[in-house]
Amino acid sequence: QVQLVESGGGLVQPGGSLRLSCAASGFIFRIYAMGWYRQVPGKQRELVAAIDTGGRINYADSVKGRFTISRDNSKNTVYLQMNSLKPDDTAVYYCNACRLANYWGQGTQVTVSS
């Protein structure tokens, strides 16, 4: 069955870095656009970054210059490198795979706090 398993979340101080990973299985990874979304309680889930099958990338304005999304089709994995983290980046981060179907991971908590 389809699985998206996120890892790499945790507690980090402001200005710090984290690298999220999302390991995919159960579908043809290379033909899916992949993305990272985040959600805080009481707010809608929002797009953080996305990468399509051709490597085209889109970032939310709030993370441009700080976050980098990448994918490794040989490992069926998508990454999110997060640098210069701010308290406003605190959220549950979700991996998404999108083509005709839309798949979601279970989420990983990122907390930015001193």
Side-chain angles (χ1 to χ4, degrees):
Q1 75 274 23
V2 171
Q3 279 194 312
L4 294 173
V5 180
E6 299 102 333
S7 61
L11 173 64
V12 64
Q13 291 189 339
S17 298
L18 284 175
R19 189 194 196 204
L20 304 183
S21 299
C22 172
S25 60
F27 63 98
I28 304 173
F29 179 82
R30 60 179 171 81
I31 67 172
Y32 276 70
M34 299 298 297
W36 288 96
Y37 288 71
R38 66 188 181 188
Q39 189 170 23
V40 297
K43 290 191 175 182
Q44 278 194 318
R45 194 171 294 188
E46 64 173 7
L47 174 68
V48 176
I51 182 167
D52 71 10
T53 57
R56 287 175 290 268
I57 291 172
N58 182 40
Y59 293 106
D61 287 343
S62 60
V63 308
K64 282 180 181 176
R66 300 188 298 121
F67 290 12
T68 303
I69 188 172
S70 61
R71 65 189 296 165
D72 186 339
N73 289 342
S74 69
K75 296 182 179 179
N76 288 358
T77 302
V78 61
Y79 304 96
L80 186 68
Q81 177 67 43
M82 304 187 295
N83 299 329
S84 302
L85 282 160
K86 305 175 181 179
D88 283 350
D89 295 318
T90 296
V92 178
Y93 283 70
Y94 295 92
C95 179
N96 171 262
C98 181
R99 185 174 162 84
L100 297 178
N102 211 11
Y103 304 130
W104 293 94
Q106 81 289 350
T108 185
Q109 176 70 47
V110 171
T111 302
V112 185
S113 175
S114 55

